[in-house]
Amino acid sequence: MWNWFFQLASPKWFYTIARKVTPWLSVLMYSLMLAGLVLGLIFSPADYQQGNTVRIMYIHIPAAYMSMMIYVIMAVAGAIGLVWRMKMAHIVSVSCASIGAMFTALALLTGAIWGKPTWGTYWVWDARLTSELILLFLYLGFMALHSAYDDKKAADKASAVLALVGVVNIPIIHFSVEWWNTLHQGATLSKLEKPSMDTSMLWPLLIMIVAFKLYFVVTLFHKIRGEILLREKQASWVKKLVADSKQ
Amino acid sequence: MKNFNRIVTRELSVVFRSQSEFVYPLAFFIMVTSMFPLAVTPEPAQLAFIAPGVIWVAALLSLLLSLNAFYQSDFQDGSLEQMLLAGVSGSLIILAKAFANWIVTGLPLVLIAPIIGVLLNLELQANMIAMLALLIGTPSLCLIGAIGINLTVGLRNGGVLLTLLVLPLFIPILIFGASAVEAASIGKNYSGQLAILAAILILSLMLAPFAAAAAMKISID
Amino acid sequence: MKNFNRIVTRELSVVFRSQSEFVYPLAFFIMVTSMFPLAVTPEPAQLAFIAPGVIWVAALLSLLLSLNAFYQSDFQDGSLEQMLLAGVSGSLIILAKAFANWIVTGLPLVLIAPIIGVLLNLELQANMIAMLALLIGTPSLCLIGAIGINLTVGLRNGGVLLTLLVLPLFIPILIFGASAVEAASIGKNYSGQLAILAAILILSLMLAPFAAAAAMKISID
Amino acid sequence: MGYFDSFNDFIHMGGHGFYVWLCYAIVFIGMVSQFVLAKLSAKKNIKLLSQYYRRAAARKKSQANNDS
Amino acid sequence: MELISSEFNSDNLIEITNLTVIRSDFPVFSPVNFSLGAGQAMQIRGTNGAGKTTLLRAICGLCHSLEGEISWNDEVITPAHQNFYQSLLYIGHALGLKPKLTIEQNLSFFQQLRFELDSQLIQEAMQAFGIAELYDEYVAKLSAGQKRRVSLCRIITEPVPLWILDEPLVALDVDGQQWMLDICNQHLERGGILLITSHQPINGIHNLRELTLS
Amino acid sequence: MELISSEFNSDNLIEITNLTVIRSDFPVFSPVNFSLGAGQAMQIRGTNGAGKTTLLRAICGLCHSLEGEISWNDEVITPAHQNFYQSLLYIGHALGLKPKLTIEQNLSFFQQLRFELDSQLIQEAMQAFGIAELYDEYVAKLSAGQKRRVSLCRIITEPVPLWILDEPLVALDVDGQQWMLDICNQHLERGGILLITSHQPINGIHNLRELTLS
Ligand code: HEM
Ligand SMILES: Nc1ncnc2c1ncn2[C@@H]1O[C@H](COP(=O)(O)OP(=O)(O)OP(=O)(O)O)[C@@H](O)[C@H]1O
Ligand SMILES: Nc1ncnc2c1ncn2[C@@H]1O[C@H](COP(=O)(O)OP(=O)(O)OP(=O)(O)O)[C@@H](O)[C@H]1O
Ligand SMILES: [Mg+2]
Ligand SMILES: [Mg+2]
């Protein structure tokens, strides 16, 4: 039952699987991305209040979701690494950071730009915006801490501790719109209730959300493979792989 | 518990050995708060308006500054590893050091805050609430700060990296602390904010010592 | 002059060895400035009003924090005394280190300040003046800070004592810097303040290296 | 085609073209650069490693020479 | 002078199997095997950089990324094993003294972490290392050798069976070295265990085994 | 191996008259008088705390509150005397190395403060102390003895006549100590001057005079 878990823990196994899977995932990602863009930019209607600016939603919301999801993944992987001393978990955790930071920055930037036509200002200091900014700082702190250590193992553990501590910020971001009355929109997508959105806008949004997730997985796999190579440089399979690739 | 007392006593006697040292964080606090009338505006109404925020930001920075002095030398001269080797648990060490840190840095802030409040034109009620909020909030700052300093203590320029790691975690305390004072100063209900501060304190008392102890062991290697 | 270059190069290579280090003071600056909207008020007009003061206070604190990392290890590992014994004059060492300090800490602040200004709702003209004022003011902060750190570096809790010594000396720069920005934001003439800042810079370039070098020799004993 | 009457309309987006296209451009640049960097990292690391192995081998050799 | 009054359990045993430490992907030294029982002493030898300090710190649990096994009285030591820490004293390059406290305050702090305060014993220890008159001097003002003596006092004030000493003779003058070695001998006679490194010749410790790292 | 290529001026002379250092109102040691000319060496002896380190630092001008006179080539030294500093190398308990720079960077920084960069010489120095393969290693990662070796490389890379070495043999292994003493001998043959302290026996330095502090 735990077999797959231990297999996952083997960098070599992960490397080969990731290499096999990524092309397929990439194809899926490209097609979903394209479909989402075409539907969102061309076929979906403008909002009766916001006009065409609503099209920013199709990238803002997926990016914002990803920024939070990736942080949780990073923290959970870090925790697994700390508790079970699993190499692979740390590799995942570390590889997540820069992708997550990018999505956080994108959510902030697209949100800020969207704010100008809708709220009349690029930036207000409301709870959700602020907590998202804090999330960016947490990502940056994670990366800075990891690069400040000379020893990779110590760096992994230290940054995992930081990721775990920072996880408290995630519920704050999510519930901020409920806890404080703010400018920012409340939840539009919820599993329990029927979405309040028109299907012609809902579909492109959902497709983009899935496409962004796939993008994350594909990019993560690339990053992980690079990282595995560096860390397993003493393993014979890596030596062989490097030697083969030279010819 | 015996060891807790011992570590606290030792910390305090190191600090009080040069008797003037415990006034520094205080002095920093006073200095930063008095920079604002100079830098922003000397007008009383405006001052009272920015006072809660300024008091909290200053408290936060002065606690942040004190962390280094409290932890770094223990790492460098090897006395932390000696305590661990004497079988004292990491989280107990952290708890004791954070407590000593609060006694030396946090408590004086709490006591001096009302005076600063008067200088910044804060009225009595808000002033008392500011003190209360600081009393509940500053221990959490010491505990959370302990995590950050233990993660960064082995690194050069750790001081600034520390800030980067710790300030985001301080911000919720800052927000609720400042908004409690603000609510009090305009006569609104402030008990909600104080309750959240208390909840944060309990949470950090339960979790921070373990996280910081883990960080400490990583840094010692 | 050759030795000046060498010391600067060495300082910079120590700092840039872990490439991310030069973002820390910046991060601190951004973090502190973004604490004020949270602690004081998120309202744009109010923000613009306190912005000049906040930017200057934050710049001042972030330079203050960087001093320790720049000087302390050189004292402790004996490399300062080795430089002196190699016949390099104390004031040259200080000048070189303060210059490196400014490159790493001050310059990034100057460059990021306009962005912070936008976040705090400062308008374009005031924003540019803020940048200019920081450009003239921050080198003096590095030089004056060098005196303070060299006086206090041998002491435990020196960090906070440093603050105590240095902040009063920083205050004139703070006042003129902030008031230049304020003047610009309400459309008044600001050249007087900038001239004073420049005068302070020249004065501290001439005097601070000698004072700091004297302090250094006292601390080495 | 689609929601818009003409290509010009599409670019113009009812006056909000600047905001919409700026957003999409930023996201595009961000995601593509991240993706390319990630994709290159495996290749770059292979190159790095082949250098590393060469140096390690050289060091081992010189050590062996020292011992004998 | 009879200094150490306690007899140790004669069953005490530390066993090291296949221990090595990985740094930047390479083992620092080839795997090490040995065991030391009551009354036995071992000197770790090796050139500069051979890994002596690393080995000692690994045994104390101060190193991550180690491979192999350490066991104390037949129990395998996981990083924080209370029994083991109760019986261990490690003194390395960093002495762990607070410059702002006096000699006596430093010593009594460490003593109280594991034992009851025994001022008498602290007094005797300072006498044994020739720093009795300096008892209320701040450590900051001591010379290199005097600081080393203060840290070594702990082998008397904290009577534990297992001593792990990394270059304890450094900075000591001739008298100091002699006193130090005498005390080690007494410790061994009482059933203590000693693990030591030194680049200076160690004369007069009975039955000193040697292990050379490579 | 011929390492040091420069001959020094044979008129070099350091003279110490009635030197003592006051700490907390008392002189640390009774006044000291000696003079050393080209090719002469002196070992300062004394128990722990006798004041050896204090004396050497005082000569280097790193101590305030000293009484007496130090002169170099018949000129009295006031705290910052360029000629004197140009001819002096002091290596004490603190090594002055930056952990974040490599061995080579550290050595070339110090060399360039007084001389032109000479990578050849740095290479030779590292070879002489057996750390040539580590040249691009960060000092943070070195062992105690390796760090000491790096700091001692400076006696080769910075060819000055007057060496003041405070316990240079500490942490060095047997080979390292031998190399060190050989180099000192070569230095003396070329007309250098050596002032040294050590608690370990110094074997094989020709004409080593001794001065015992009290
Ligand atoms: C800098 C500005 C902004 C930031 C940092 C930001 C951040 C976020 C975040 C983090 C989420 C995900 C929340 C969650 O999953 O709980 C989100 C969702 C969302 N944002 Fe923004 N946002 C910004 C501006 C805007 C603007 C201007 C609008 C529209 C007027 C907007 C509309 C939405 C909508 C509709 C959602 C989905 C709501 C949900 O399902 O929770 N955002 N935003
Ligand atoms: N800053 C100081 N203030 C007061 N006394 C001091 C100070 N520094 C050193 N001393 C005292 O001066 C004496 C001489 O110290 P010094 O370091 O010179 O000894 P040393 O001969 O080098 O000893 P060691 O062999 O242990 O290195 C010591 O007794 C010490 O206590
Ligand atoms: N943090 C580290 N990262 C990588 N390598 C390290 C680290 N610390 C030590 N080393 C390397 O490990 C080796 C062993 O160091 P160690 O300090 O154990 O040597 P030692 O035998 O105690 O030497 P000495 O006699 O000089 O004290 C050295 O070659 C050193 O370069
Ligand atoms: Mg060692
Ligand atoms: Mg000495």
Side-chain angles (χ1 to χ4, degrees):
Chain A
M1 147 85 191
W2 284 97
N3 234 353
W4 61 272
F5 195 67
F6 289 117
Q7 255 184 341
L8 257 181
S10 146
K12 184 184 176 191
W13 184 85
F14 199 102
Y15 187 91
T16 30
I17 289 298
R19 193 162 162 174
K20 274 185 208 144
V21 183
T22 27
W24 300 102
L25 288 179
S26 307
V27 170
L28 195 59
M29 171 192 78
Y30 286 128
S31 37
L32 280 180
M33 202 71 98
L34 193 70
L37 280 178
V38 169
L39 282 179
L41 278 175
I42 301 174
F43 289 97
S44 77
D47 190 77
Y48 70 100
Q49 271 182 331
Q50 302 189 355
N52 278 307
T53 55
V54 79
R55 296 181 202 284
I56 296 175
M57 176 176 76
Y58 306 123
I59 48 181
H60 171 74
I61 295 180
Y65 283 172
M66 290 313 296
S67 70
M68 293 158 65
M69 192 186 93
I70 295 176
Y71 194 92
V72 174
I73 293 176
M74 190 171 93
V76 169
I80 293 175
L82 278 182
V83 175
W84 285 290
R85 295 159 192 276
M86 194 193 275
K87 263 194 256 176
M88 229 12 252
H90 283 305
I91 294 179
V92 171
S93 172
V94 169
S95 309
C96 278
S98 69
I99 311 177
M102 177 205 63
F103 276 123
T104 313
L106 291 183
L108 280 167
L109 286 171
T110 53
I113 296 169
W114 197 5
K116 189 68 186 173
T118 46
W119 305 335
T121 170
Y122 286 111
W123 186 260
V124 286
W125 289 94
D126 95 344
R128 170 161 283 177
L129 273 58
T130 308
S131 48
E132 183 78 359
L133 187 65
I134 293 175
L135 184 65
L136 180 65
F137 289 146
L138 287 175
Y139 274 119
L140 293 181
F142 181 98
M143 295 195 292
L145 187 67
H146 195 271
S147 69
Y149 276 89
D150 286 327
D151 185 44
K152 268 258 160 79
K153 278 193 179 120
D156 286 343
K157 289 183 193 164
S159 39
V161 170
L162 180 69
L164 276 176
V165 172
V167 130
V168 292
N169 191 39
I170 298 296
I172 294 182
I173 302 179
H174 186 70
F175 293 112
S176 55
V177 279
E178 292 172 28
W179 292 345
W180 294 275
N181 46 349
T182 65
L183 273 179
H184 197 280
Q185 249 84 345
T188 42
L189 295 176
S190 151
K191 286 191 193 90
L192 299 178
E193 293 160 38
K194 229 176 119 196
S196 54
M197 214 185 279
D198 190 66
T199 46
S200 59
M201 289 163 85
L202 189 60
W203 268 112
L205 180 61
L206 288 178
I207 291 176
M208 282 304 266
I209 288 174
V210 176
F212 271 49
K213 292 207 158 112
L214 280 172
Y215 166 89
F216 164 63
V217 173
V218 172
T219 316
L220 183 70
F221 277 11
H222 282 307
K223 273 205 184 308
I224 288 177
R225 277 172 53 203
E227 194 69 36
I228 286 178
L229 285 182
L230 269 193
R231 292 183 181 218
E232 295 288 291
K233 57 177 174 258
Q234 297 311 325
S236 54
W237 69 271
V238 176
K239 284 182 181 160
K240 190 164 164 296
L241 191 139
V242 171
D244 289 349
S245 72
K246 254 194 298 186
Q247 282 126 33
Chain B
M1 196 57 214
K2 247 177 22 184
N3 282 339
F4 179 84
N5 285 338
R6 259 162 220 150
I7 298 175
V8 171
T9 321
R10 168 165 169 279
E11 287 299 317
L12 294 183
S13 49
V14 169
V15 172
F16 289 109
R17 144 114 163 72
S18 42
Q19 282 147 16
S20 60
E21 263 174 28
F22 70 106
V23 302
Y24 301 154
L26 248 188
F28 178 80
F29 181 67
I30 298 174
M31 202 93 59
V32 171
T33 46
S34 57
M35 266 157 59
F36 279 91
L38 300 174
V40 178
T41 170
E43 210 194 302
Q46 292 285 357
L47 271 186
F49 176 71
I50 63 171
V54 168
I55 289 180
W56 267 93
V57 171
L60 208 145
L61 292 176
S62 90
L63 278 178
L64 192 70
L65 276 184
S66 75
L67 287 174
N68 220 31
F70 253 86
Y71 290 85
Q72 197 176 32
S73 67
D74 269 13
F75 269 92
Q76 284 174 349
D77 63 20
S79 47
L80 262 188
E81 66 189 44
Q82 288 297 348
M83 282 190 238
L84 280 177
L85 288 180
V88 186
S89 84
S91 46
L92 186 71
I93 298 177
I94 296 290
L95 215 53
K97 286 187 78 78
F99 181 68
N101 187 358
W102 184 75
I103 293 279
V104 175
T105 319
L107 190 58
L109 290 197
V110 175
L111 299 178
I112 200 83
I115 299 176
I116 300 289
V118 170
L119 292 183
L120 291 180
N121 244 44
L122 214 54
E123 33 164 282
L124 191 69
Q125 158 89 333
N127 224 339
M128 289 301 105
I129 297 307
M131 195 171 161
L132 191 61
L134 281 174
L135 185 69
I136 311 176
T138 46
S140 321
L141 296 180
C142 291
L143 285 163
I144 296 174
I147 304 177
I149 186 78
N150 278 289
L151 281 172
T152 56
V153 71
L155 314 167
R156 185 188 145 116
N157 219 338
V160 200
L161 179 56
L162 167 73
T163 317
L164 182 63
L165 301 185
V166 161
L167 278 190
L169 301 174
F170 279 3
I171 282 181
I173 301 173
L174 173 79
I175 292 178
F176 291 111
S179 90
V181 185
E182 227 172 276
S185 72
I186 55 176
K188 279 208 227 152
N189 187 357
Y190 47 76
S191 57
Q193 285 93 329
L194 291 185
I196 294 180
L197 283 183
I200 294 178
L201 175 57
I202 292 169
L203 205 71
S204 44
L205 264 176
M206 288 189 324
L207 300 182
F210 297 100
M216 180 167 90
K217 277 172 201 152
I218 296 163
S219 290
I220 278 183
D221 181 34
Chain C
M1 198 56 215
K2 250 179 20 190
N3 281 339
F4 179 84
N5 285 340
R6 259 160 219 152
I7 298 175
V8 171
T9 322
R10 169 166 168 279
E11 287 299 316
L12 294 183
S13 52
V14 169
V15 172
F16 289 107
R17 146 117 162 71
S18 40
Q19 282 148 15
S20 59
E21 263 175 28
F22 69 107
V23 302
Y24 302 154
L26 248 188
F28 178 79
F29 181 67
I30 298 175
M31 203 98 51
V32 172
T33 45
S34 56
M35 267 159 55
F36 280 92
L38 301 174
V40 178
T41 171
E43 212 193 300
Q46 292 285 358
L47 273 185
F49 176 70
I50 63 169
V54 167
I55 288 181
W56 268 94
V57 171
L60 208 145
L61 292 177
S62 99
L63 279 179
L64 193 70
L65 274 186
S66 74
L67 287 175
N68 221 33
F70 252 84
Y71 291 85
Q72 198 176 32
S73 67
D74 269 14
F75 269 92
Q76 284 173 350
D77 62 20
S79 48
L80 263 189
E81 65 189 44
Q82 287 298 347
M83 283 190 236
L84 281 177
L85 289 180
V88 186
S89 83
S91 46
L92 185 73
I93 298 178
I94 296 291
L95 214 53
K97 286 186 78 77
F99 181 69
N101 187 357
W102 184 75
I103 293 278
V104 175
T105 319
L107 190 59
L109 291 197
V110 175
L111 298 177
I112 200 83
I115 298 176
I116 299 290
V118 169
L119 289 185
L120 292 181
N121 246 46
L122 214 54
E123 34 164 281
L124 192 69
Q125 158 89 331
N127 223 340
M128 289 301 106
I129 297 307
M131 196 171 163
L132 191 62
L134 282 174
L135 185 68
I136 311 175
T138 44
S140 322
L141 296 180
C142 291
L143 285 163
I144 297 174
I147 306 178
I149 186 82
N150 277 291
L151 279 172
T152 56
V153 71
L155 315 168
R156 183 189 144 118
N157 220 337
V160 199
L161 177 57
L162 166 73
T163 317
L164 213 63
L165 296 181
V166 161
L167 275 191
L169 296 175
F170 279 3
I171 281 182
I173 303 175
L174 174 79
I175 293 178
F176 291 109
S179 89
V181 185
E182 228 173 274
S185 73
I186 56 176
K188 279 209 227 150
N189 186 356
Y190 47 77
S191 55
Q193 286 94 326
L194 290 185
I196 295 181
L197 283 183
I200 293 179
L201 175 57
I202 292 170
L203 207 71
S204 46
L205 264 176
M206 289 189 323
L207 299 182
F210 297 99
M216 182 167 88
K217 276 170 201 154
I218 295 167
S219 291
I220 277 182
D221 181 34
Chain D
M1 194 192 82
Y3 173 79
F4 297 98
D5 299 330
S6 68
F7 185 72
N8 240 351
D9 250 16
F10 177 59
I11 297 299
H12 192 60
M13 291 255 167
H16 293 309
F18 172 71
Y19 300 112
V20 175
W21 291 119
L22 184 61
C23 276
Y24 276 81
I26 290 173
V27 170
F28 182 80
I29 292 170
M31 286 173 72
V32 167
S33 55
Q34 181 76 236
F35 188 76
V36 170
L37 279 182
K39 210 165 172 176
L40 287 182
S41 84
K43 277 191 194 124
K44 200 186 74 193
N45 288 346
I46 286 181
K47 208 185 256 167
L48 259 175
L49 282 184
S50 68
Q51 280 170 4
Y52 170 84
Y53 291 139
R54 233 180 295 140
R55 269 179 61 190
R59 201 174 260 192
K60 218 177 202 173
K61 214 185 245 168
S62 85
Q63 238 164 24
N65 285 347
N66 278 355
D67 290 346
S68 64
Chain E
M1 197 169 20
E2 291 284 297
L3 280 165
I4 304 156
S5 46
S6 46
E7 285 280 342
F8 299 113
N9 188 340
S10 63
D11 296 342
N12 281 336
L13 179 70
I14 183 168
E15 274 184 296
I16 311 288
T17 8
N18 271 327
L19 185 72
T20 184
V21 177
I22 313 289
R23 292 258 186 230
S24 343
D25 297 325
F26 289 101
V28 179
F29 43 83
S30 39
V32 163
N33 287 289
F34 65 88
S35 69
L36 286 177
Q40 296 187 312
M42 163 111 82
Q43 178 184 7
I44 313 286
R45 308 197 55 163
T47 56
N48 288 141
K52 303 178 291 301
T53 301
T54 312
L55 173 63
L56 296 190
R57 288 179 68 87
I59 295 176
C60 295
L62 295 174
C63 258
H64 305 285
S65 63
L66 84 178
E67 287 175 3
E69 226 175 63
I70 307 157
S71 67
W72 172 248
N73 295 346
D74 298 325
E75 284 178 88
V76 173
I77 312 270
T78 42
H81 195 289
Q82 287 304 314
N83 267 348
F84 182 54
Y85 281 164
Q86 285 300 332
S87 351
L88 164 85
L89 181 68
Y90 164 73
I91 294 176
H93 293 296
L95 303 178
L97 304 173
K98 282 279 132 213
K100 291 234 163 177
L101 298 180
T102 65
I103 297 184
E104 207 173 9
Q105 284 173 320
N106 267 298
L107 289 176
S108 63
F109 169 73
F110 280 120
Q111 190 180 44
Q112 287 184 315
L113 285 180
R114 290 194 276 188
F115 300 93
E116 288 305 307
L117 178 65
D118 183 347
S119 311
Q120 182 64 29
L121 195 59
I122 292 180
Q123 203 61 41
E124 279 173 30
M126 290 192 291
Q127 221 124 40
F129 280 102
I131 47 174
E133 317 94 76
L134 295 171
Y135 72 102
D136 63 349
E137 189 69 83
Y138 292 106
V139 167
K141 295 204 173 167
L142 300 181
S143 79
Q146 289 167 334
K147 278 181 199 150
R148 171 67 64 173
R149 288 176 183 209
V150 176
S151 76
L152 287 177
C153 280
R154 290 183 57 205
I155 62 181
I156 296 174
T157 60
E158 293 166 46
V160 292
L162 177 60
W163 292 356
I164 299 188
L165 308 177
D166 195 3
E167 308 209 35
L169 302 182
V170 156
L172 290 184
D173 60 16
V174 187
D175 285 349
Q177 295 180 20
Q178 197 48 53
W179 294 334
M180 175 64 211
L181 294 178
D182 287 349
I183 293 169
C184 286
N185 266 328
Q186 291 182 26
H187 178 63
L188 294 173
E189 276 162 27
R190 278 186 179 64
I193 304 177
L194 174 66
L195 207 56
I196 193 170
T197 72
S198 174
H199 291 300
Q200 289 163 263
I202 300 184
N203 300 321
I205 289 195
H206 316 311
N207 302 326
L208 184 66
R209 282 154 62 192
E210 288 191 2
L211 176 82
T212 306
L213 295 183
S214 59
Chain F
M1 195 170 25
E2 291 283 293
L3 280 165
I4 305 157
S5 47
S6 48
E7 285 280 341
F8 299 115
N9 188 338
S10 65
D11 296 341
N12 282 336
L13 178 70
I14 183 168
E15 274 184 294
I16 312 287
T17 9
N18 271 327
L19 185 72
T20 184
V21 177
I22 314 291
R23 292 253 187 235
S24 338
D25 296 329
F26 288 100
V28 178
F29 43 83
S30 39
V32 164
N33 287 288
F34 64 88
S35 71
L36 287 176
Q40 296 187 312
M42 163 110 84
Q43 178 183 8
I44 315 284
R45 309 196 55 164
T47 55
N48 288 141
K52 302 178 291 301
T53 302
T54 313
L55 172 63
L56 296 189
R57 289 179 69 86
I59 295 175
C60 295
L62 294 174
C63 256
H64 306 286
S65 64
L66 84 178
E67 287 176 4
E69 229 176 60
I70 307 157
S71 66
W72 173 248
N73 294 346
D74 298 328
E75 282 179 89
V76 173
I77 312 266
T78 41
H81 194 289
Q82 286 305 314
N83 266 347
F84 182 54
Y85 282 163
Q86 285 300 334
S87 349
L88 164 84
L89 181 69
Y90 164 74
I91 294 176
H93 293 296
L95 303 177
L97 304 174
K98 282 279 131 214
K100 288 236 163 175
L101 298 180
T102 64
I103 297 184
E104 208 173 12
Q105 285 172 321
N106 266 298
L107 289 177
S108 64
F109 169 73
F110 280 120
Q111 189 180 46
Q112 288 184 315
L113 286 180
R114 290 193 277 188
F115 300 93
E116 289 305 307
L117 179 63
D118 183 348
S119 311
Q120 183 65 28
L121 195 60
I122 292 179
Q123 204 61 41
E124 278 173 28
M126 291 191 291
Q127 221 125 40
F129 282 102
I131 47 174
E133 316 95 78
L134 295 171
Y135 71 103
D136 61 349
E137 191 70 83
Y138 292 105
V139 168
K141 296 202 173 168
L142 300 181
S143 78
Q146 288 168 334
K147 278 181 198 152
R148 172 66 65 171
R149 289 176 182 209
V150 176
S151 76
L152 287 177
C153 280
R154 291 183 55 206
I155 63 182
I156 296 173
T157 60
E158 294 166 44
V160 293
L162 176 59
W163 291 357
I164 300 187
L165 308 178
D166 195 3
E167 308 209 34
L169 302 184
V170 156
L172 289 185
D173 59 16
V174 186
D175 285 348
Q177 295 180 20
Q178 196 50 53
W179 294 334
M180 175 65 210
L181 294 177
D182 286 348
I183 293 169
C184 286
N185 266 329
Q186 291 181 26
H187 178 63
L188 294 172
E189 276 162 28
R190 278 183 180 63
I193 304 176
L194 174 66
L195 205 58
I196 193 171
T197 73
S198 174
H199 291 300
Q200 289 163 262
I202 301 184
N203 300 323
I205 289 195
H206 316 312
N207 303 325
L208 184 66
R209 283 153 60 191
E210 288 189 3
L211 175 82
T212 307
L213 295 183
S214 59

